[in-house]
Amino acid sequence: MKEIIPRPQSCILAKKGGTFDMARIDALDIDATFSLTAPIIKDILEKGLGKKLGKEGEKVLKIGFAQELSPQSYRIECDENGISVSAGDAAGALYAVQTLRVGSMMGTPLQDLNVPCGKVNDYPRYSWRGLLLDESRHFFGEEEVKKLLDVMSMHKLNVLHWHLTDDQGWRIEIKKYPLLTEIGSSRPRSQIHGWGSTDTDDVPVSGFYTQEKIKEIVAYAAERGISVIPEIDMPAHFAAAMAAYPWLACRELRRDVHYYFGSRIPLSQGVRDWNRSACIGKPATLQFIKDVIDEVCELFPAPYFHIGGDEAPKDEWKDCPACQELIRSLGLKNEKQLQGWFTNEIAKYVRGKGRRLIGWNEILEGDNIEKDVIVQYWTPQKDGRVIRHVKNGGNAIISKHKYFYFDMPYAQYPLRNTYMFNPYFEGFISMYDNKVKGIEGALWTEWISTPSKLEFQLFPRMEALAEASWYGGPKNWKKFQQRVKDYVPLLDMYGLNYAKDEIYRPCNH
Ligand code: ACM
Ligand code: ZN
């Protein structure tokens, strides 16, 4: 039995030793309350054991509900006569089977189905273990997303944060505003050679998900224990929408879907109207945003809505009569507070639909954000407002750049950063631990245009993310490096590309 990633909280081997050979299992009895994940559980075991599993047989693997176990938790008890699994919910049941599968290397050339006798008691440290996928900057499509969902489930990750709109592309069909995808999903070229470069290629980028396809992918994720949270970035990172509907901007200029990345566009291009926030002083913009939210919420049942809110320039608001009039009439101090007012308005709107708002930590700049808004902390710079928000009772999700920005080169952010992440950083003392909902890795794709590069940046970082977000115990970097190597056949099973250790290791370790 190999060590499992992420490591279970407690694994106690029976003193007298012994094993049970999973090849003897010939039937599967899953509690009816686990119907959401039951088809995948059955599929994993049937593929791994190479046989169909009916309800009755000589050696039944029973997966039962246990009242005393919390959601996402499970227990595995193994003796020489068999294995019994209990779980707190459908996700916990799936995690138990993922543990059996990863531990036995099921489905790989190294498969060893002999499970040591003993007990596993396992539960996640954080209830939110996420991965952000940016499909605006580059579009990867259904097949790659489903592949990632399969692998996330194996790692016990449970949130796909889907970044579907940004300056460089709008990738979700909105029936009321068809130009969002007709115009907003295509750009003729892309910036190349890194931040600040003025070079572009001439490769067009396009693609979007229909509402039907979104529903299918959301259901696919749910069966694998994964919630999909949509991010519709606003009021900035909104240029694809403004290219489609120029009246969304303070100044109604013709704007392109961006083909430069980042918030600073090379000045030598003379492009002055590139990165701008939507005009939130106009009632029509607010109505547009609410209409979009109405359609998006129909597709994503999870009780959260991500509005981004990062990197919002305020200069056009300063010169805009509508924005200035709104600041005056609301008695706000400045444009930062205008963004705060906007965020609270949208928070109220999604609250009415049973959802909590999530935004990047810049949404706190106006110092007027409601407490129930969840803040995702990403900025490389320390942001004391996040600590204050948490102290005042708010929640946070941690995606700090140095540990969790998986688009960065390994030479800059080696794997060790992610693995060694210490949740008690920058004032996040243990007192506020229950205010941290969890951790997310962010896979931005400005410089990633192929699935192969996407996977290279992501693996084995996903293993470190899983370990940091699931396992609460002490760390051992040296052992972890070996465990990552041992895990490779499981990645090979999915045909994934990944970085090798000479790449992901820092040179001085
Ligand atoms: C971000 O990286 N702008 C959230
Ligand atoms: Zn305006």
Side-chain angles (χ1 to χ4, degrees), residues 220-234:
Y220 186 93
E223 286 184 336
R224 285 153 184 80
I226 298 167
S227 296
V228 187
I229 313 298
E231 180 183 349
I232 307 294
D233 210 338
M234 60 183 86

Side-chain angles (χ1 to χ4, degrees), residues 237 310-311 360 362 378 405 444:
H237 289 283
D310 52 321
E311 300 175 317
W360 299 105
E362 291 101 312
W378 77 276
Y405 264 44
W444 300 102

Side-chain angles (χ1 to χ4, degrees), residues 183 238-258 270-277 279 282 316:
I183 293 176
F238 205 61
M242 294 193 284
Y245 297 100
W247 52 263
L248 289 165
C250 293
R251 291 185 298 150
E252 299 188 19
L253 307 171
R254 201 191 71 78
R255 295 166 200 253
D256 293 319
V257 177
H258 287 191
V271 187
R272 305 197 50 131
D273 290 304
W274 204 276
N275 183 40
R276 293 292 181 261
S277 296
C279 180
K282 285 186 222 168
E316 282 204 348

Side-chain angles (χ1 to χ4, degrees), residues 164-200:
L164 285 165
T165 69
D166 210 303
D167 298 321
Q168 293 81 11
W170 186 283
R171 311 258 175 244
I172 173 171
E173 176 191 28
I174 301 295
K175 294 195 195 281
K176 189 158 185 182
Y177 299 105
L179 299 185
L180 283 174
T181 42
E182 272 173 41
I183 293 176
S185 71
S186 300
R187 64 173 192 264
R189 62 188 72 85
S190 304
Q191 180 183 11
I192 49 173
H193 302 149
W195 307 109
S197 149
T198 55
D199 302 342
T200 58

Side-chain angles (χ1 to χ4, degrees), residues 85-199:
V85 172
S86 329
D89 64 356
L94 176 60
Y95 296 151
V97 170
Q98 297 288 22
T99 290
L100 290 171
R101 169 207 207 181
V102 170
S104 63
M105 303 295 277
M106 201 182 264
T108 75
L110 299 181
Q111 173 168 305
D112 173 6
L113 297 175
N114 291 298
V115 180
C117 296
K119 244 189 217 189
V120 175
N121 250 311
D122 201 11
Y123 50 88
R125 167 169 188 138
Y126 293 112
S127 64
W128 185 290
R129 301 173 303 282
L131 177 70
L132 174 148
L133 177 65
D134 170 10
E135 283 211 271
S136 169
R137 274 55 177 267
H138 283 95
F139 184 71
F140 301 92
E142 172 189 2
E143 196 186 326
E144 185 65 16
V145 171
K146 287 183 171 169
K147 183 176 176 187
L148 291 180
L149 288 166
D150 287 340
V151 185
M152 283 172 68
S153 176
M154 182 166 76
H155 289 75
K156 303 186 175 86
L157 299 180
N158 68 344
V159 176
L160 175 66
H161 169 173
W162 211 358
H163 187 80
L164 285 165
T165 69
D166 210 303
D167 298 321
Q168 293 81 11
W170 186 283
R171 311 258 175 244
I172 173 171
E173 176 191 28
I174 301 295
K175 294 195 195 281
K176 189 158 185 182
Y177 299 105
L179 299 185
L180 283 174
T181 42
E182 272 173 41
I183 293 176
S185 71
S186 300
R187 64 173 192 264
R189 62 188 72 85
S190 304
Q191 180 183 11
I192 49 173
H193 302 149
W195 307 109
S197 149
T198 55
D199 302 342

